């Protein structure tokens, strides 16, 4: 509204300047009478004020439409947090691989390696620079996953790990060692799980 009022006053000032210029020109010309000039100038001023009012109404209408549009968008557009954190997918570390569980012979088939941990992986291997030797640990992501492994420990744990204490929901794991030979990771030293 303040903008419309400013525009109105600006246009009114322009009309007044035009009026003064025309009246100065008329004073120079002798063919019109001063009474006629007064009424002609008054009519021109009325027209100028009418035009300014029309423009002010048009501006006000445009502003109202914009506000309505913005209000509708704000109402129908879901609110977004000010700080949107970008999801940046990091490249997997090539020196870290995961396996589900060891085979019957206690080895891990290299063709079944995974680059990300999931609820179905139980072993994390950290490869050395040669990519043929690794340290590995038993890892779980949830109590459910650990409970599954504990209930079937011959399949999930005992082929590649030893454990001490009674099985529980918390544990620490001392890394084991393995090396890659003909596409299989053979366990050189079993990891050691200690339940708390």
């Amino acid at each position: 509204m303040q903008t419309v009022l400013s525009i109105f006053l600006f246009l009114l000032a322009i009309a007044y300047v035009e009026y003064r210029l025309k009246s100065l020109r008329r004073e120079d010309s002798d063919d019109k009478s001063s009474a006629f000039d007064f009424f002609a100038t008054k009519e021109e001023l009325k027209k100028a004020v009418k035009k300014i009012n029309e423009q002010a109404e048009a501006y006000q209408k445009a502003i109202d439409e914009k506000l309505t549009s913005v209000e509708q968008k704000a109402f129908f557009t879901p609110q977004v947090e000010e700080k949107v954190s970008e999801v940046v997918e990091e490249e997997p570390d090539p020196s870290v691989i995961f396996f589900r569980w060891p085979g019957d012979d206690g080895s891990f088939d290299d063709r079944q390696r995974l680059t990300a941990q999931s609820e179905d992986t139980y072993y994390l291997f950290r490869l050395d620079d040669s990519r043929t030797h690794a340290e590995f640990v038993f890892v779980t992501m949830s109590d459910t996953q650990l409970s599954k492994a504990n209930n079937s420990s011959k399949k999930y744990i005992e082929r590649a790990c030893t454990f001490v204490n009674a099985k529980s929901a918390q544990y620490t794991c001392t890394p084991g060692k393995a090396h890659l030979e003909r596409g299989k990771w053979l366990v050189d030293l079993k990891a050691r799980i200690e339940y708390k």
Side-chain angles (χ1 to χ4, degrees), residues 24 34 39 66 70 89 106 115 130 140 156 161 163 166 173 175 180:
L24 287 174
S34 62
F39 289 112
K66 282 280 188 195
V70 168
E89 290 189 27
T115 57
S130 71
T140 54
Y156 294 101
C161 301
F163 58 90
C173 185
L180 182 62

Side-chain angles (χ1 to χ4, degrees), residues 11-61:
L11 292 174
L12 189 60
I14 290 173
Y16 178 74
V17 169
E18 286 179 352
Y19 161 73
R20 289 300 297 153
L21 287 173
K22 286 181 182 178
S23 86
L24 287 174
R25 283 188 213 133
R26 286 193 183 125
E27 287 176 0
D28 291 344
S29 107
D30 294 333
D31 53 6
K32 293 185 179 178
S33 70
S34 62
F36 180 76
D37 286 345
F38 173 76
F39 289 112
T41 306
K42 186 177 178 183
E43 288 301 314
E44 287 176 7
L45 191 55
K46 282 182 184 178
K47 286 180 187 177
V49 169
K50 184 178 177 184
K51 188 174 181 180
I52 289 170
N53 281 334
E54 289 170 357
Q55 288 176 343
E57 287 172 8
Y59 285 127
Q60 185 62 47
K61 185 177 177 183

